[in-house]
Amino acid sequence: MFKILDKEKLALSIFRFEIEAPKIARKAKAGQFVILRLDEQGERIPLTICDFDEKKSSISLVLQEVGKTTQQLASLSCGDCIADVVGPLGKPSEIKNFGTVVCVAGGVGAAVILPVARVLKGVGNKIITILGARSEELLILEEELSLISDEFFIMTDDGSKGRCGVCTDILKELIEGGCDISRVVAIGPVIMMKFVCKTTEPHKIKTVVSLNSIMVDGTGMCGSCRVTVGGETKFCCVDGPEFDGHLVDFDELINRQRMYLEEESLSLELHDVKRVECRCKKHKKREGN
Amino acid sequence: MLKGSSVDARSTKREKVIDRLEQNNKQVPSRIPVSEQTPKERVSNFNEVTLGYTAEQAVAEASRCLQCKLAPCIQGCPVGISIPSFIKLIKEGNFRGAINKIKEKNCLPTVCGRVCPQENQCEKLCTLGKKGEPVAIGRLERFVADYERESGKISLPKKKEPTDKKVAVVGSGPAGLTCAGDLAKLGHKVTIFEALHKPGGVLLYGIPEFRLPKAVVESEISYIKKLGVEIKTNMVVGKITTIDELFYEGYDAIFIGVGAGLPRFLKVPGENFNGIYSANEFLTRVNLMKAYLFPKYDTPIKKGENVVVVGGGNVAMDSARTALRLGAKKVYLLYRRAKEDMPARKEEVQHAKEEGIDFRILATPKRFIGIEGRVSAAECVETRLGELDNSGRRKPVIKEGSEFLLAVDVVIVAIGAKANPLLPKATPGLKLYKEGYIATDQNCVTSKEGIFAGGDIVTGSATVISAMGTGRKATLEIDRYLATLK
């Protein structure tokens, strides 16, 4: 069992959890992920490690409530336990002094990019961060990211904070303005990563993306997370999660992520019904008293 | 020369026994049949298909054994169980004695009695089999193993005095469990490291409930724990720790039994459409994650109406029969070689046929067609057999112009596995061969001191019992190695 040490609401439906996992904390590197299972009936879901603290024997995970499992996890509190956490899985990010690195983070991707950007900064890179979200209330880790960035931009789809538009707008401006970009790291919704890659490809700027495909075991055993990279089938869990974005078949990935949409919504619906029933029961009990 | 003549002498003797039977005008008595769920009944549930012998049936079947002095059956058993001895005990009604006899050589008898390919091992060499049906050794093994399990009184063997040696076993499948159990009996302190959240390896995630109930696996694992073995789950060796670190932590020897791991795909166009699974994924979702109980359990699975399974091994049979139980109306099984080449156990092929699986022998998918990202059809092609290949079987050759289309919504690719590089990559100096399998000598010794390996990560995809066989061999070698340490 893995104990929740701390829980923080970062934005609307986005939470940060600090979980006691001494062995994982000791081994984790930027870019790696864990797979967790909440309880006996639970599914196994991958979540990227957004921070790790060897002294506190803990790792931090950031998640957005989207399906049943993330909702259930979001409803847990400090002191509660998670049945299984396995990791660190996947290959760590490639860390080198490349020169100038543009970090493009969309939505919860900000949590995934933070440790990578921090280490890249640590080895001497100039960090330009573009943080994007649909609107202000979905922006997370603004302060943390701006602290480690030499240049920092915020973009929202509705213009509620920063500039109105998408992340690639600024990226284009930077490239066209003659900024000497050695590498781009893009982490966020698949559609965002796809367009970041389309923007950088003509300029031959190496672009690394972190893919969040559906997984079961996370050790290469099942092939659920397969993705086409440079015409070859790769497994996100052991060959990734980071890949050369210019080689990734994003359309296939988008399709594969939609595989269980029907089942996911059924699961969520039943979970909602159960939650309402629970609340009603509690209410009745109180009334009875 | 000497060896050859002794084999000749042996077979002559066997022939004589049978001749005598025939001279006395005695027909080889038939096997006692075992009761099974009817095909109609079983396709709609996940309960075990073969129900096992009753005590009377077991005694009657045991009485068929000729008690051959040379016991050819033992030579067919990868772990060398004293088969005639345990059968004799059953005949005498001493079921506890029989199971203890088996457990001298085999720590997972309830598993082996169910999943061993006996027809290619012990039963293949049974003297009775020369003129009639061999003794049902597997069913007898299962009977006494279940007898003990159901009684709730599991006897523990005498353990040797504790040594001060620690062994780490990586992987809790059949190879790892056997090695761990046997080493514990020898007095060593054993810890198993398992990557998944539950121990059992392929016994748990791979073999379906209807062939190997999970309660059976759990009871075998609790037996291994009772022997003093500690099991740590959620431990991916190669990630959270490494082999070198395990030595540093104080383990004196390490056994690697992590299985083959990576699923093979067909490498044909359209293979990444939704609805196309590796057998590993399909079976893991159903068996380990209990997707057949979705939405009570959270893991989903696509339950196809028309399913194509590709492959001819036990895993292919398991996948096809699982798809049927999930509610498929039609399940095709495509195999590119001849029926006789199928590596699956005979009983599994038989059961699959009875349940209505549509076998399309000498055929293979050429590409998959999808609508809106989901597989909708498999374009297949017939094959014919050409020259012999490396495996000693005739190589399938595509018949041009023989294409045919199957409308499907789920495809399961069950064409074997490759070596998972995760652990070898994290273990510098460990010698590999072929496509990344761990190289060992005949006694499971690897190129690095103190490291031993067995099961599918050494042999490539094989059977539960052969993995157990290597686990046992490794035990002897590890015990010998530990004795050399001060």
Side-chain angles (χ1 to χ4, degrees), chain A residues 23-24 27 37 40-44 68 72 84-90 214 216-217 219-222 224 226 228 233 235 238 252 255-256 259-260 263 266 270, chain B residues 195-198 205 234 236 239-240 245 261-263 265 271-278 280-281 284-285 289 294-300 302 372-373 420 422:
Chain A
K23 286 203 168 112
I24 303 175
K27 276 300 179 99
R37 191 180 73 124
E40 195 48 40
Q41 282 80 36
E43 58 181 337
R44 291 169 66 98
K68 189 213 163 182
Q72 210 183 334
D84 302 290
V85 180
V86 57
L89 300 171
I214 298 173
V216 184
D217 65 291
T219 61
M221 197 187 80
C222 83
S224 165
R226 60 194 192 274
T228 304
T233 293
F235 291 178
V238 284
E252 182 187 273
N255 181 53
R256 287 189 65 80
M259 180 140 165
Y260 296 107
E263 288 81 0
L266 173 69
L270 291 170
Chain B
L196 288 168
H197 55 264
K198 267 190 194 160
Y205 73 75
N234 292 322
V236 182
K239 290 288 180 188
I240 197 159
E245 283 168 355
L262 293 186
F265 285 95
E271 200 166 18
N272 292 346
F273 276 129
N274 290 349
I276 304 183
Y277 290 101
S278 75
N280 267 4
E281 181 185 357
T284 302
R285 281 181 182 271
M289 305 309 295
F294 178 87
K296 190 183 164 207
Y297 280 72
D298 293 339
T299 305
K302 287 290 170 200
E372 289 176 356
N420 190 334
L422 197 151

Coordinates of all heavy atoms in Angstrom, one line a residue, chain A residues 23-24 27 37 40-44 68 72 84-90 214 216-217 219-222 224 226 228 233 235 238 252 255-256 259-260 263 266 270, chain B residues 195-198 205 234 236 239-240 245 261-263 265 271-278 280-281 284-285 289 294-300 302 372-373 420 422:
Chain A
K23 N 11.4 3.8 -2.5 CA 12.3 3.1 -3.5 C 12.1 3.8 -4.9 O 13.1 4.0 -5.6 CB 11.9 1.7 -3.6 CG 12.4 0.9 -2.5 CD 12.5 -0.6 -2.8 CE 13.3 -1.3 -1.7 NZ 12.5 -2.3 -1.0
I24 N 10.9 4.2 -5.2 CA 10.7 4.9 -6.5 C 11.4 6.3 -6.5 O 12.0 6.7 -7.4 CB 9.2 5.0 -6.9 CG1 8.6 3.6 -6.9 CG2 9.0 5.7 -8.2 CD1 7.1 3.6 -7.1
K27 N 15.0 6.2 -7.2 CA 15.4 5.8 -8.6 C 14.9 6.7 -9.7 O 15.4 6.7 -10.8 CB 14.9 4.4 -8.9 CG 15.9 3.3 -8.3 CD 17.2 3.5 -9.0 CE 18.3 2.5 -8.5 NZ 18.4 1.4 -9.4
R37 N -2.7 1.4 -9.4 CA -4.0 0.7 -9.3 C -4.5 1.0 -8.0 O -3.9 0.8 -7.0 CB -3.7 -0.8 -9.5 CG -5.0 -1.6 -9.7 CD -4.7 -3.1 -9.8 NE -4.3 -3.7 -8.5 CZ -4.9 -4.7 -7.9 NH1 -5.9 -5.4 -8.6 NH2 -4.6 -5.1 -6.7
E40 N -8.6 -3.4 -5.5 CA -8.7 -4.7 -6.1 C -9.5 -4.6 -7.4 O -9.1 -5.4 -8.4 CB -9.4 -5.6 -5.1 CG -9.4 -7.1 -5.4 CD -8.0 -7.6 -5.7 OE1 -7.0 -7.1 -5.1 OE2 -7.9 -8.4 -6.6
Q41 N -10.5 -3.8 -7.6 CA -11.2 -3.7 -8.8 C -10.6 -2.8 -9.8 O -11.1 -2.6 -10.9 CB -12.7 -3.3 -8.5 CG -13.6 -4.3 -8.0 CD -13.4 -4.5 -6.5 OE1 -13.1 -3.6 -5.8 NE2 -13.5 -5.8 -6.0
G42 N -9.6 -2.1 -9.4 CA -9.1 -1.0 -10.2 C -8.4 -1.4 -11.5 O -7.9 -2.5 -11.6
E43 N -8.3 -0.4 -12.4 CA -7.5 -0.6 -13.6 C -6.1 -0.1 -13.4 O -5.9 0.6 -12.4 CB -8.1 0.1 -14.8 CG -8.3 1.6 -14.6 CD -9.0 2.3 -15.8 OE1 -8.9 1.8 -16.9 OE2 -9.6 3.4 -15.6
R44 N -5.2 -0.4 -14.3 CA -3.8 0.1 -14.1 C -3.7 1.3 -15.0 O -3.9 1.2 -16.2 CB -2.8 -1.0 -14.5 CG -2.7 -2.2 -13.5 CD -2.0 -3.3 -14.1 NE -0.5 -3.0 -14.3 CZ 0.4 -3.4 -13.4 NH1 0.1 -4.0 -12.3 NH2 1.7 -3.0 -13.7
K68 N -13.3 7.5 -14.6 CA -13.6 7.0 -13.3 C -12.4 6.9 -12.4 O -12.5 7.4 -11.3 CB -14.2 5.6 -13.5 CG -14.9 5.1 -12.2 CD -14.8 3.7 -12.0 CE -15.0 3.4 -10.5 NZ -14.9 1.9 -10.2
Q72 N -11.9 8.9 -9.0 CA -11.8 8.2 -7.7 C -10.6 8.6 -7.0 O -10.6 8.8 -5.8 CB -11.8 6.7 -8.1 CG -12.4 5.8 -7.0 CD -12.2 4.3 -7.4 OE1 -12.1 4.0 -8.6 NE2 -12.2 3.5 -6.5
D84 N -1.5 -0.1 -5.4 CA -0.2 -0.4 -6.1 C 0.3 0.8 -6.8 O -0.4 1.5 -7.5 CB -0.5 -1.5 -7.1 CG -1.0 -2.8 -6.5 OD1 -0.3 -3.5 -5.8 OD2 -2.2 -3.1 -6.7
V85 N 1.6 1.0 -6.7 CA 2.3 1.9 -7.5 C 3.6 1.3 -8.0 O 4.4 0.8 -7.1 CB 2.7 3.2 -6.7 CG1 3.4 4.2 -7.6 CG2 1.4 3.9 -6.1
V86 N 3.8 1.2 -9.3 CA 5.0 0.5 -9.8 C 5.7 1.4 -10.7 O 5.2 2.2 -11.5 CB 4.6 -0.8 -10.5 CG1 3.6 -0.7 -11.6 CG2 5.9 -1.6 -10.9
G87 N 7.0 1.4 -10.5 CA 7.9 2.3 -11.3 C 9.3 2.4 -10.7 O 9.6 1.7 -9.8
P88 N 10.1 3.3 -11.1 CA 9.9 4.2 -12.3 C 10.0 3.5 -13.6 O 10.9 2.7 -13.8 CB 11.0 5.2 -12.1 CG 12.1 4.5 -11.5 CD 11.4 3.5 -10.6
L89 N 9.0 3.7 -14.5 CA 9.0 3.0 -15.8 C 9.4 4.0 -16.9 O 9.3 5.2 -16.8 CB 7.6 2.4 -16.0 CG 7.1 1.4 -14.9 CD1 5.7 1.1 -15.1 CD2 8.0 0.2 -15.0
G90 N 9.7 3.4 -18.1 CA 10.0 4.2 -19.2 C 11.5 4.7 -19.2 O 12.1 4.6 -18.1
I214 N -2.5 4.3 -23.9 CA -3.2 3.4 -23.0 C -2.2 2.2 -22.7 O -1.6 1.7 -23.6 CB -4.5 2.8 -23.6 CG1 -5.5 4.0 -23.9 CG2 -5.1 1.8 -22.7 CD1 -6.7 3.6 -24.6
V216 N -1.3 -1.3 -20.0 CA -1.7 -2.3 -18.9 C -0.6 -2.6 -18.0 O -0.5 -2.1 -16.9 CB -2.3 -3.6 -19.5 CG1 -2.8 -4.5 -18.4 CG2 -3.4 -3.3 -20.5
D217 N 0.5 -3.3 -18.5 CA 1.5 -3.7 -17.5 C 2.6 -2.6 -17.4 O 3.2 -2.5 -16.4 CB 2.1 -5.0 -17.9 CG 2.8 -5.0 -19.3 OD1 2.1 -4.8 -20.3 OD2 4.0 -5.0 -19.3
T219 N 5.5 -2.8 -18.9 CA 6.9 -3.4 -18.9 C 7.2 -4.0 -20.3 O 8.1 -4.7 -20.4 CB 7.1 -4.4 -17.8 OG1 6.1 -5.5 -18.1 CG2 6.9 -3.9 -16.5
G220 N 6.3 -3.7 -21.3 CA 6.6 -4.2 -22.6 C 5.9 -5.5 -22.9 O 6.1 -6.1 -24.0
M221 N 5.1 -6.0 -22.0 CA 4.5 -7.3 -22.1 C 3.2 -7.4 -23.0 O 2.9 -8.4 -23.6 CB 4.2 -7.8 -20.7 CG 4.0 -9.3 -20.6 SD 3.4 -9.6 -18.9 CE 1.7 -9.2 -19.1
C222 N 2.5 -6.3 -23.0 CA 1.2 -6.4 -23.7 C 1.0 -5.8 -25.0 O 0.2 -6.2 -25.8 CB 0.1 -6.0 -22.7 SG -0.2 -4.2 -22.7
S224 N -0.2 -2.9 -25.6 CA -1.4 -2.0 -25.7 C -1.0 -0.6 -26.1 O -1.7 0.1 -26.8 CB -2.0 -2.0 -24.3 OG -2.9 -0.9 -24.2
R226 N 1.2 0.4 -28.2 CA 2.1 0.5 -29.4 C 1.7 1.8 -30.2 O 0.6 2.2 -30.3 CB 2.0 -0.7 -30.2 CG 0.7 -1.2 -30.7 CD 0.8 -2.6 -31.2 NE -0.4 -3.0 -32.0 CZ -1.5 -3.5 -31.5 NH1 -1.6 -3.6 -30.2 NH2 -2.5 -3.8 -32.3
T228 N 3.2 4.0 -33.8 CA 4.1 4.0 -35.0 C 5.1 5.1 -35.0 O 4.7 6.3 -35.0 CB 3.3 3.9 -36.3 OG1 2.4 2.8 -36.2 CG2 4.2 3.7 -37.5
T233 N 6.6 -0.2 -35.4 CA 5.8 -0.2 -34.2 C 6.8 -0.2 -33.0 O 7.7 -1.0 -32.8 CB 5.0 -1.5 -34.2 OG1 4.0 -1.4 -35.2 CG2 4.2 -1.6 -32.8
F235 N 6.9 0.4 -28.5 CA 6.0 0.4 -27.3 C 6.4 1.6 -26.5 O 7.5 1.8 -26.1 CB 6.3 -0.9 -26.5 CG 5.8 -2.1 -27.1 CD1 6.1 -3.4 -26.6 CD2 5.1 -2.1 -28.4 CE1 5.6 -4.6 -27.1 CE2 4.7 -3.3 -28.9 CZ 4.9 -4.5 -28.3
V238 N 8.2 0.9 -22.9 CA 9.7 0.6 -22.8 C 10.6 1.3 -23.8 O 11.7 1.6 -23.5 CB 9.9 -0.9 -22.9 CG1 9.5 -1.6 -21.6 CG2 9.2 -1.5 -24.1
E252 N -2.7 8.1 -35.6 CA -2.9 6.7 -35.1 C -3.0 6.8 -33.6 O -3.9 6.1 -33.0 CB -1.8 5.8 -35.6 CG -1.9 4.4 -35.1 CD -0.7 3.6 -35.4 OE1 -0.6 3.1 -36.5 OE2 0.2 3.5 -34.5
N255 N -6.3 8.0 -32.5 CA -7.3 7.0 -32.6 C -7.2 5.9 -31.5 O -8.2 5.5 -31.0 CB -7.1 6.3 -34.0 CG -8.2 5.3 -34.3 OD1 -9.4 5.5 -34.1 ND2 -7.7 4.1 -34.6
R256 N -6.0 5.5 -31.3 CA -5.8 4.5 -30.2 C -6.2 4.9 -28.8 O -6.7 4.2 -28.0 CB -4.4 3.9 -30.2 CG -4.1 3.1 -31.5 CD -2.7 2.3 -31.4 NE -2.7 1.4 -30.3 CZ -3.2 0.1 -30.4 NH1 -3.8 -0.3 -31.4 NH2 -3.1 -0.7 -29.3
M259 N -9.9 4.3 -28.0 CA -10.4 2.9 -28.1 C -11.5 2.5 -27.2 O -12.4 1.8 -27.5 CB -9.2 2.0 -27.9 CG -9.5 0.5 -27.9 SD -8.2 -0.4 -28.8 CE -8.5 -2.1 -28.4
Y260 N -11.4 3.0 -26.0 CA -12.4 2.6 -24.9 C -13.3 3.7 -24.5 O -13.8 3.7 -23.4 CB -11.7 2.0 -23.7 CG -10.9 0.8 -24.0 CD1 -9.5 0.8 -24.1 CD2 -11.5 -0.4 -24.3 CE1 -8.8 -0.3 -24.4 CE2 -10.8 -1.6 -24.5 CZ -9.5 -1.5 -24.6 OH -8.7 -2.6 -24.9
E263 N -16.7 2.5 -23.2 CA -16.6 1.9 -21.9 C -16.2 2.9 -20.8 O -16.7 2.8 -19.7 CB -15.5 0.8 -21.9 CG -15.8 -0.5 -22.7 CD -15.6 -0.3 -24.2 OE1 -15.2 0.8 -24.6 OE2 -15.9 -1.2 -25.0
L266 N -19.3 4.8 -19.8 CA -20.2 3.9 -19.0 C -19.7 3.8 -17.6 O -20.5 3.9 -16.6 CB -20.3 2.5 -19.6 CG -21.0 1.4 -18.8 CD1 -22.5 1.7 -18.8 CD2 -20.8 0.0 -19.4
L270 N -21.7 5.1 -14.2 CA -22.0 4.2 -13.1 C -21.4 4.7 -11.8 O -22.0 4.7 -10.7 CB -21.6 2.8 -13.3 CG -22.3 2.0 -14.4 CD1 -21.6 0.7 -14.8 CD2 -23.7 1.7 -14.0
Chain B
A195 N 7.1 -8.1 -11.0 CA 6.8 -6.8 -11.6 C 5.3 -6.4 -11.5 O 5.0 -5.3 -11.3 CB 7.2 -6.8 -13.1
L196 N 4.4 -7.4 -11.6 CA 3.0 -7.1 -11.6 C 2.5 -7.0 -10.1 O 3.3 -7.2 -9.2 CB 2.2 -8.2 -12.3 CG 2.3 -8.1 -13.8 CD1 1.7 -9.4 -14.5 CD2 1.7 -6.9 -14.4
H197 N 1.2 -6.6 -9.9 CA 0.7 -6.4 -8.6 C 0.4 -7.7 -7.9 O 0.0 -7.7 -6.7 CB -0.4 -5.5 -8.5 CG -1.6 -5.8 -9.5 ND1 -1.7 -5.3 -10.7 CD2 -2.6 -6.7 -9.3 CE1 -2.8 -5.9 -11.3 NE2 -3.3 -6.7 -10.4
K198 N 0.4 -8.9 -8.6 CA 0.1 -10.2 -8.0 C 1.1 -11.2 -8.5 O 1.4 -11.1 -9.7 CB -1.3 -10.6 -8.4 CG -2.4 -10.2 -7.5 CD -3.7 -10.9 -7.9 CE -4.9 -10.3 -7.1 NZ -6.1 -10.6 -7.8
Y205 N -1.8 -14.3 -15.4 CA -2.2 -13.4 -16.5 C -2.5 -14.1 -17.8 O -3.2 -13.6 -18.6 CB -1.3 -12.2 -16.7 CG 0.1 -12.6 -17.4 CD1 0.1 -12.8 -18.7 CD2 1.3 -12.6 -16.7 CE1 1.3 -13.1 -19.4 CE2 2.4 -13.0 -17.3 CZ 2.4 -13.2 -18.6 OH 3.6 -13.5 -19.3
N234 N 5.1 -5.5 -7.5 CA 5.3 -4.2 -8.0 C 6.8 -3.8 -8.1 O 7.2 -2.7 -7.9 CB 4.7 -3.1 -7.1 CG 3.1 -3.2 -7.2 OD1 2.6 -3.4 -8.2 ND2 2.5 -3.0 -6.1
V236 N 9.8 -4.0 -10.6 CA 10.4 -4.3 -11.9 C 11.9 -4.2 -11.8 O 12.5 -3.2 -11.7 CB 9.9 -3.2 -12.9 CG1 10.4 -3.5 -14.3 CG2 8.3 -3.2 -12.9
K239 N 14.5 -1.6 -13.2 CA 14.0 -0.2 -13.0 C 14.2 0.2 -11.6 O 15.0 1.1 -11.3 CB 12.6 -0.1 -13.5 CG 12.4 -0.3 -15.0 CD 12.9 0.9 -15.7 CE 12.7 0.8 -17.2 NZ 13.3 1.9 -17.9
I240 N 13.4 -0.4 -10.7 CA 13.4 0.1 -9.3 C 14.7 -0.4 -8.6 O 15.2 0.2 -7.6 CB 12.2 -0.4 -8.6 CG1 12.0 0.4 -7.3 CG2 12.2 -1.9 -8.3 CD1 10.6 0.4 -6.7
E245 N 22.6 -4.2 -8.0 CA 22.2 -3.7 -6.7 C 21.7 -4.8 -5.7 O 21.9 -4.7 -4.5 CB 21.1 -2.6 -6.9 CG 21.7 -1.3 -7.4 CD 20.6 -0.3 -7.8 OE1 19.4 -0.7 -7.9 OE2 20.9 0.8 -8.2
G261 N 8.1 -12.4 -22.6 CA 7.8 -11.0 -22.5 C 7.2 -10.3 -23.7 O 6.0 -10.2 -23.8
L262 N 8.0 -9.8 -24.6 CA 7.4 -9.0 -25.6 C 6.6 -9.7 -26.7 O 7.1 -10.7 -27.3 CB 8.6 -8.3 -26.4 CG 9.5 -7.3 -25.7 CD1 10.4 -6.7 -26.8 CD2 8.7 -6.2 -25.1
P263 N 5.4 -9.3 -26.9 CA 4.5 -10.0 -27.9 C 5.0 -9.8 -29.3 O 5.5 -8.7 -29.6 CB 3.1 -9.4 -27.7 CG 3.4 -8.1 -27.1 CD 4.6 -8.2 -26.3
F265 N 4.2 -9.4 -33.3 CA 3.0 -9.0 -34.1 C 3.3 -9.5 -35.5 O 4.4 -9.9 -35.9 CB 2.8 -7.4 -34.1 CG 2.2 -7.0 -32.8 CD1 3.0 -6.5 -31.7 CD2 0.8 -7.0 -32.6 CE1 2.4 -6.1 -30.5 CE2 0.2 -6.6 -31.5 CZ 1.0 -6.2 -30.4
E271 N -2.3 -3.2 -38.6 CA -2.3 -4.0 -37.4 C -2.5 -3.1 -36.1 O -2.8 -3.7 -35.0 CB -0.9 -4.7 -37.3 CG -1.0 -5.9 -36.3 CD 0.2 -6.8 -36.4 OE1 1.2 -6.4 -37.0 OE2 0.1 -7.9 -36.0
N272 N -2.4 -1.8 -36.3 CA -2.6 -1.0 -35.1 C -4.0 -0.4 -35.0 O -4.3 0.5 -34.2 CB -1.6 0.1 -35.0 CG -0.2 -0.5 -34.7 OD1 -0.1 -1.6 -34.3 ND2 0.8 0.3 -34.9
F273 N -4.9 -0.9 -35.8 CA -6.3 -0.5 -35.7 C -6.9 -0.9 -34.3 O -6.4 -1.9 -33.8 CB -7.2 -1.2 -36.8 CG -7.2 -0.5 -38.1 CD1 -6.9 -1.2 -39.3 CD2 -7.5 0.9 -38.2 CE1 -6.9 -0.6 -40.5 CE2 -7.5 1.5 -39.4 CZ -7.2 0.8 -40.6
N274 N -7.8 -0.1 -33.8 CA -8.4 -0.5 -32.6 C -9.2 -1.8 -32.7 O -9.8 -2.0 -33.8 CB -9.4 0.6 -32.1 CG -8.7 1.9 -31.7 OD1 -7.4 1.9 -31.5 ND2 -9.4 3.0 -31.5
G275 N -9.1 -2.6 -31.7 CA -9.8 -3.9 -31.7 C -8.8 -5.0 -32.0 O -9.2 -6.2 -32.0
I276 N -7.5 -4.6 -32.3 CA -6.5 -5.7 -32.6 C -5.6 -5.7 -31.3 O -5.0 -4.8 -30.9 CB -5.7 -5.4 -33.8 CG1 -6.7 -5.2 -35.0 CG2 -4.7 -6.5 -34.1 CD1 -6.0 -5.0 -36.4
Y277 N -5.6 -6.9 -30.8 CA -4.8 -7.2 -29.5 C -3.7 -8.1 -29.8 O -3.8 -9.1 -30.6 CB -5.7 -7.8 -28.5 CG -6.8 -7.0 -27.9 CD1 -8.1 -7.1 -28.4 CD2 -6.6 -6.1 -26.9 CE1 -9.2 -6.3 -27.8 CE2 -7.6 -5.3 -26.3 CZ -8.9 -5.4 -26.8 OH -9.8 -4.7 -26.2
S278 N -2.7 -8.0 -28.9 CA -1.7 -9.2 -28.8 C -2.5 -10.1 -27.8 O -3.3 -9.7 -27.0 CB -0.4 -8.7 -28.2 OG -0.6 -8.5 -26.8
N280 N -1.2 -11.5 -25.4 CA -0.8 -11.1 -24.0 C -1.7 -10.1 -23.4 O -2.1 -10.1 -22.3 CB 0.6 -10.5 -24.1 CG 1.7 -11.5 -23.8 OD1 1.4 -12.7 -23.7 ND2 2.9 -11.1 -23.8
E281 N -2.0 -9.0 -24.3 CA -2.9 -8.0 -23.8 C -4.3 -8.5 -23.5 O -4.9 -8.2 -22.5 CB -2.9 -6.8 -24.7 CG -3.8 -5.7 -24.2 CD -4.0 -4.5 -25.1 OE1 -3.4 -4.5 -26.2 OE2 -4.8 -3.6 -24.7
T284 N -4.3 -10.8 -20.5 CA -4.0 -10.0 -19.3 C -5.2 -9.2 -18.8 O -5.6 -9.2 -17.6 CB -2.8 -9.1 -19.5 OG1 -1.7 -9.9 -19.9 CG2 -2.4 -8.4 -18.2
R285 N -5.8 -8.6 -19.8 CA -7.0 -7.8 -19.4 C -8.1 -8.7 -18.8 O -8.7 -8.3 -17.8 CB -7.6 -7.1 -20.7 CG -6.8 -5.8 -21.1 CD -7.5 -5.1 -22.3 NE -6.7 -4.0 -22.6 CZ -6.9 -2.8 -22.1 NH1 -7.9 -2.5 -21.3 NH2 -6.1 -1.8 -22.5
M289 N -6.8 -8.7 -14.9 CA -7.5 -7.5 -14.6 C -9.0 -7.7 -14.5 O -9.8 -6.8 -14.2 CB -7.2 -6.4 -15.6 CG -5.8 -6.0 -15.8 SD -4.9 -5.7 -14.3 CE -5.7 -4.2 -13.7
F294 N -16.2 -6.4 -16.3 CA -16.4 -5.0 -16.5 C -17.9 -4.7 -16.5 O -18.6 -5.5 -17.2 CB -15.7 -4.5 -17.8 CG -16.0 -3.1 -18.1 CD1 -15.1 -2.1 -17.5 CD2 -17.0 -2.7 -18.9 CE1 -15.3 -0.8 -17.8 CE2 -17.2 -1.3 -19.2 CZ -16.4 -0.4 -18.6
P295 N -18.5 -3.7 -15.9 CA -17.9 -2.6 -15.2 C -17.7 -2.8 -13.7 O -17.3 -1.8 -13.1 CB -18.9 -1.5 -15.5 CG -20.2 -2.1 -15.6 CD -20.0 -3.5 -16.2
K296 N -18.0 -4.0 -13.2 CA -17.7 -4.2 -11.8 C -16.2 -4.0 -11.5 O -15.8 -3.4 -10.5 CB -18.1 -5.6 -11.4 CG -18.1 -5.8 -9.9 CD -18.5 -7.2 -9.5 CE -18.1 -7.4 -8.0 NZ -17.8 -8.9 -7.8
Y297 N -15.4 -4.5 -12.4 CA -14.0 -4.2 -12.4 C -13.7 -3.1 -13.5 O -14.4 -3.1 -14.5 CB -13.2 -5.5 -12.7 CG -13.0 -6.4 -11.5 CD1 -14.1 -7.1 -11.1 CD2 -11.8 -6.5 -10.9 CE1 -14.0 -7.9 -9.9 CE2 -11.7 -7.3 -9.7 CZ -12.8 -8.0 -9.3 OH -12.7 -8.8 -8.2
D298 N -12.7 -2.3 -13.2 CA -12.6 -1.1 -14.1 C -11.9 -1.3 -15.4 O -12.1 -0.5 -16.3 CB -11.7 0.0 -13.3 CG -12.5 0.5 -12.1 OD1 -13.7 0.4 -12.0 OD2 -11.8 1.0 -11.2
T299 N -11.2 -2.4 -15.6 CA -10.5 -2.6 -16.9 C -11.4 -3.0 -18.0 O -12.1 -4.0 -17.9 CB -9.4 -3.6 -16.7 OG1 -8.6 -3.2 -15.6 CG2 -8.6 -3.8 -17.9
P300 N -11.5 -2.2 -19.1 CA -12.4 -2.6 -20.2 C -11.8 -3.5 -21.2 O -10.5 -3.7 -21.2 CB -12.6 -1.2 -20.9 CG -11.4 -0.5 -20.6 CD -10.8 -1.0 -19.3
K302 N -12.7 -5.0 -25.5 CA -13.6 -5.0 -26.6 C -14.1 -6.5 -26.7 O -13.3 -7.4 -27.0 CB -12.9 -4.6 -27.9 CG -12.6 -3.1 -27.9 CD -13.9 -2.3 -28.1 CE -13.8 -0.8 -27.9 NZ -15.0 -0.1 -27.6
E372 N -13.3 4.0 -39.5 CA -13.2 5.0 -38.4 C -12.2 4.5 -37.4 O -12.5 4.6 -36.2 CB -14.5 5.3 -37.9 CG -15.4 6.1 -38.8 CD -16.8 6.3 -38.3 OE1 -17.1 5.8 -37.2 OE2 -17.6 7.0 -39.0
G373 N -11.1 3.9 -37.8 CA -10.1 3.5 -36.8 C -10.3 2.2 -36.2 O -9.4 1.8 -35.4
N420 N 12.1 -10.0 -23.7 CA 12.0 -8.6 -23.2 C 13.4 -8.1 -22.8 O 14.0 -8.7 -21.9 CB 11.0 -8.6 -22.0 CG 10.6 -7.2 -21.6 OD1 11.4 -6.2 -21.8 ND2 9.5 -7.0 -21.0
L422 N 14.2 -5.5 -21.1 CA 14.2 -4.6 -20.0 C 15.3 -5.0 -19.0 O 16.2 -4.2 -18.6 CB 12.9 -4.5 -19.3 CG 12.6 -3.4 -18.4 CD1 11.1 -3.1 -18.4 CD2 13.0 -3.7 -17.0

